[in-house]
Amino acid sequence: MPNTFLAHHLLLAGLLFALGLTGVLVRRNLLVVTMCLELMLAAATLALVAFSRFNRTMDGAVFVFFIITVAAAEVAVGLALIITIYRHFKTANVDKVEDLKG
């Protein structure tokens, strides 16, 4: 039975990660791209928790704590960058922001 549990949760994590990756590659709005990155982090968290439950250890839970901490910092910095870019360029569209190219 634990193999079925692991397989189902890893399938869900894979689908969530694929959905997030598709959103990052296809969408052009900075806010949507940030949300898709968060979806990818949630998929990685789900996979770690599933492996942790399957192995009956707490290692996955420790990694999840660090992932949540990094995700919170990413959201704070990402939203600050999005607000700054929107104030300067009056758009959140990635294609319209050309002054940032080096």
Side-chain angles (χ1 to χ4, degrees), residues 5-16:
F5 171 83
L6 182 63
H8 286 114
H9 283 80
L10 290 180
L11 179 66
L12 179 62
L15 290 173
L16 284 174

Side-chain angles (χ1 to χ4, degrees), residues 23-99:
V24 167
L25 295 175
V26 172
R27 303 297 289 199
R28 295 290 130 212
N29 190 329
L30 286 173
L31 191 58
V32 174
V33 170
T34 304
M35 289 190 310
C36 290
L37 286 171
E38 290 298 319
L39 188 62
M40 292 169 65
L41 280 173
T45 302
L46 177 63
L48 283 172
V49 168
F51 279 125
S52 178
R53 174 92 166 125
F54 179 72
N55 291 331
R56 292 184 173 88
T57 63
M58 289 300 293
D59 296 339
V62 173
F63 284 121
V64 167
F65 175 72
F66 288 116
I67 288 174
I68 291 172
T69 305
V70 168
E74 175 203 349
V75 167
V77 171
L79 288 177
L81 286 171
I82 290 170
I83 290 170
T84 303
I85 288 172
Y86 185 78
R87 283 183 181 171
H88 186 268
F89 294 105
K90 303 294 186 235
T91 185
N93 192 346
V94 177
D95 293 334
K96 304 287 184 190
V97 180
E98 294 183 5
D99 290 345

